């Protein structure tokens, strides 16, 4: 079975704190703690039918991973830009229910904005997501 996608964990120390980042296929960096990413990956991979291996700092995804990666990117983006745990949990449930076209739309907006302006541009997209799905109420 051929590897389809890679998610790498990298840690960065800033102002005395260690931050965890997930790199999706080496180009998209999202601030997301590893435990949160793995718990979502466990649930989604079973639901979508994707096989993965993890060695602690790298996750190798096998099979048709397109939809899984899109949902993980959206979920991690919301996680990095939202402080409210209630809103994060609600957003995760919403992301899991999105159809293929909604996944593709939000994923492409996140990637496009990350390439343009990095972290804060992704947070603008997440802000729109939160307003549309009424997560701030």
């Amino acid at each position: 079975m051929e590897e389809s996608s890679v998610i790498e964990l990298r840690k960065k120390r800033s102002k005395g704190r260690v931050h965890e980042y997930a790199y999706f296929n080496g180009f998209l960096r999202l601030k997301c703690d590893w435990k949160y990413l793995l718990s979502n990956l466990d649930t989604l991979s079973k639901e979508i039918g994707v096989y993965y291996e993890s060695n602690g700092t790298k996750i190798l995804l096998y099979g048709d991973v397109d939809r899984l990666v899109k949902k993980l990117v959206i979920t991690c983006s919301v996680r990095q830009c939202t402080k409210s745990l209630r809103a994060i949990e609600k957003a995760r449930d919403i992301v899991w229910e999105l159809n293929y076209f909604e996944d593709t739309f939000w994923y492409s907006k996140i990637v496009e904005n990350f390439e343009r302006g990095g972290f804060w541009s992704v947070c603008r997209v997440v802000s729109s997501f939160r307003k549309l799905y009424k997560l701030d109420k």
Side-chain angles (χ1 to χ4, degrees):
M1 193 176 272
E2 191 172 315
E3 172 186 325
S4 297
S5 190
V6 177
I7 304 171
E8 287 185 66
L9 169 70
R10 297 185 191 166
K11 295 181 180 185
K12 183 179 177 184
R13 184 173 297 278
S14 175
K15 298 179 183 176
R17 295 176 61 191
V18 176
H19 301 280
E20 294 179 342
Y21 292 91
Y23 284 76
F24 291 85
N25 294 326
F27 79 96
L28 178 62
R29 181 189 76 191
L30 298 173
K31 185 177 177 183
C32 186
D33 55 288
W34 203 237
K35 289 179 185 178
Y36 181 78
L37 178 68
L38 283 175
S39 70
N40 285 302
L41 180 62
D42 280 340
T43 305
L44 286 172
S45 65
K46 290 174 188 170
E47 194 174 298
I48 294 175
V50 173
Y51 172 71
Y52 76 93
E53 294 176 353
S54 175
N55 70 1
T57 60
K58 190 181 282 189
I59 298 172
L60 305 174
L61 302 169
Y62 299 97
D64 185 19
V65 298
D66 183 49
R67 189 145 189 229
L68 175 68
V69 169
K70 287 177 182 176
K71 286 189 180 293
L72 286 174
V73 165
I74 297 165
T75 302
C76 288
S77 297
V78 171
R79 173 74 175 102
Q80 87 172 359
C81 300
T82 306
K83 291 182 181 179
S84 167
L85 293 177
R86 184 191 60 77
I88 291 168
E89 292 299 316
K90 189 175 174 185
R92 185 188 67 195
D93 294 340
I94 289 169
V95 169
W96 290 359
E97 296 298 320
L98 295 177
N99 65 37
Y100 177 79
F101 299 107
E102 292 168 322
D103 287 341
T104 302
F105 172 78
W106 289 110
Y107 173 80
S108 64
K109 285 295 180 188
I110 289 166
V111 170
E112 180 182 312
N113 279 286
F114 178 79
E115 289 174 346
R116 274 197 216 148
F119 177 84
W120 293 112
S121 292
V122 170
C123 287
R124 283 188 207 100
V125 174
V126 170
S127 176
S128 299
F129 181 89
R130 288 190 343 231
K131 287 176 186 169
L132 179 65
Y133 293 103
K134 297 177 177 84
L135 296 176
D136 295 331
K137 291 184 179 183

